Amino acid sequence: MNILKALFGSGEIKDTKKADSKERDFEILKYDGVRAMRTGAMEQARKCFEGALNINNDFEIRDYLSLVLVSLGDLEEAVSQLRMIAEVQPDNVKVFLRMASIYYMLEDYENMEEVATTSLQIDGKEPMAMFQLAQASRGKGDVVKAIAMLTKALSLDDSYEEAYLLRGEMLLKAGDTQAASSDVEWLMEHDSCNEDVMMLKARYEHACGNDDNAIDAYGKVIDMNPFSSQAYKERGAVFMRKGDTKAAAADMQKSMEICPEMAADINGEYSAEGIERMTKDAYGCNPLCMG
């Protein structure tokens, strides 16, 4: 059945049948949209949901549409759909949590902080809202506040892995390896096969000056993800600190092969001299630099 033709055809509809016809068309568009969304046909899903909304201002449909818009990269419009839901459901914390996640993708930390704060006003014991406030604080460069909010989130949910990861990262950024050790230990105990966990472990060992342990951990990250340019680059920094320029250059070359844009300044040639120079430029006088 051609849904668009059924909705926008030129045939006359008697007044007594309009309500039934509209309801039927709405249901068809709704369920066709859901099916399209589940099969990954997002553009079709968008058309179906927008058509349904032209018939009935249904907030379940707006919710579906916001998910489709996110998958299509139309993040601003996804937020607009969620704000329309929030206007009539101001106590629906899930709407604000979703909105904050989208603002994070947009790197709009001011609005993210605002809606995460609204979430906490609705439910003061929502750990995800505290986590989102921490993300916003990190984006704004407020490491102390980020750590405080993550600690609050973990006080409510002591199995919140993402909060341990982010707090460990923030503590290392603050130079507090002693405090970070407990987060690294918890993560290694509960999810040592996770690439992000092993990366934090590697950075922790690097920050503590445990070069051999750091090299081993970076190697495990690379085993998990052979395309981790950052792991190669950071391991190269450890090799450079140990004075092993050959191994450092090999890691820099591998990092540039994965991310060719890094080699732009040497015209795409991976000469021994060029690699060594790029390695020294990348790691500079501070081999602890990880970014």
Side-chain angles (χ1 to χ4, degrees):
M1 179 180 179
N2 189 323
I3 302 300
L4 292 177
K5 184 176 181 180
L7 281 175
F8 304 111
S10 58
E12 293 290 330
I13 302 175
K14 294 182 180 180
D15 291 342
T16 57
K17 295 182 179 179
K18 281 185 178 179
D20 289 343
S21 177
K22 286 186 176 182
E23 183 63 27
R24 183 175 62 252
D25 290 341
F26 172 81
E27 292 297 328
I28 291 171
L29 283 167
K30 174 181 177 180
Y31 290 111
D32 278 4
V34 171
R35 281 196 295 270
M37 182 173 66
R38 289 175 177 171
T39 59
M42 296 302 180
E43 285 291 356
Q44 180 62 27
R46 178 177 187 165
K47 291 176 182 177
C48 289
F49 291 143
E50 289 176 343
L53 287 171
N54 285 335
I55 300 171
N56 184 5
N57 183 23
D58 183 275
F59 294 106
E60 181 183 8
I61 297 297
R62 291 200 184 280
D63 184 27
Y64 286 142
L65 180 57
S66 73
L67 293 173
V68 169
L69 290 166
V70 168
S71 72
L72 292 171
D74 195 346
L75 303 180
E76 294 285 0
E77 182 57 29
V79 169
S80 295
Q81 295 297 325
L82 292 171
R83 286 200 176 277
M84 281 186 266
I85 299 174
E87 287 178 3
V88 296
Q89 297 181 2
D91 295 328
N92 188 339
V93 68
K94 292 181 180 179
V95 174
F96 293 96
L97 293 173
R98 173 93 59 81
M99 208 182 301
S101 296
I102 297 173
Y103 278 128
Y104 180 70
M105 297 169 69
L106 287 165
E107 299 183 4
D108 184 346
Y109 302 117
E110 290 291 342
N111 275 313
M112 182 183 187
E113 183 177 56
E114 178 187 338
V115 295
T117 299
T118 300
S119 295
L120 283 178
Q121 290 170 349
I122 298 168
D123 183 355
K125 294 185 178 181
E126 174 53 66
M128 184 180 289
M130 294 177 183
F131 178 78
Q132 290 174 336
L133 273 175
Q135 288 181 308
S137 296
R138 178 185 62 171
K140 295 170 68 175
D142 192 340
V143 174
V144 174
K145 183 176 179 180
I147 292 171
M149 295 309 302
L150 290 165
T151 300
K152 288 182 179 180
L154 287 165
S155 71
L156 294 170
D157 181 359
D158 63 3
S159 63
Y160 200 158
E161 184 170 323
E162 289 179 294
Y164 282 110
L165 270 168
L166 186 55
R167 188 173 69 174
E169 176 189 331
M170 293 293 94
L171 288 168
L172 287 183
K173 185 179 288 290
D176 193 346
T177 54
Q178 183 175 357
S181 65
S182 62
D183 289 345
V184 173
E185 182 179 346
W186 187 95
L187 288 162
M188 289 297 293
E189 180 181 345
H190 289 83
D191 197 8
S192 62
C193 293
N194 183 306
E195 178 187 341
D196 293 331
V197 170
M198 190 56 65
M199 193 71 162
L200 180 65
K201 168 70 170 175
R203 288 169 171 169
Y204 166 75
E205 297 292 355
H206 190 180
C208 290
N210 302 325
D211 292 346
D212 291 338
N213 289 343
I215 289 170
D216 179 67
Y218 281 122
K220 290 177 179 176
V221 173
I222 292 167
D223 288 341
M224 295 176 192
N225 177 12
F227 301 101
S228 177
S229 173
Q230 195 64 27
Y232 280 109
K233 180 180 178 182
E234 293 180 22
R235 187 176 68 175
V238 184
F239 280 129
M240 179 64 74
R241 182 164 69 181
K242 286 171 65 69
D244 191 344
T245 56
K246 183 176 180 180
D251 273 358
M252 172 56 77
Q253 178 172 354
K254 189 64 178 179
S255 181
M256 288 190 294
E257 287 173 353
I258 296 169
C259 293
E261 61 271 17
M262 291 183 61
D265 292 338
I266 56 172
N267 298 318
E269 295 180 0
Y270 298 125
S271 64
E273 296 80 9
I275 293 294
E276 184 174 357
R277 177 172 60 80
M278 285 292 288
T279 301
K280 290 179 179 178
D281 288 346
Y283 303 131
C285 298
N286 180 10
L288 284 174
C289 178
M290 298 186 294

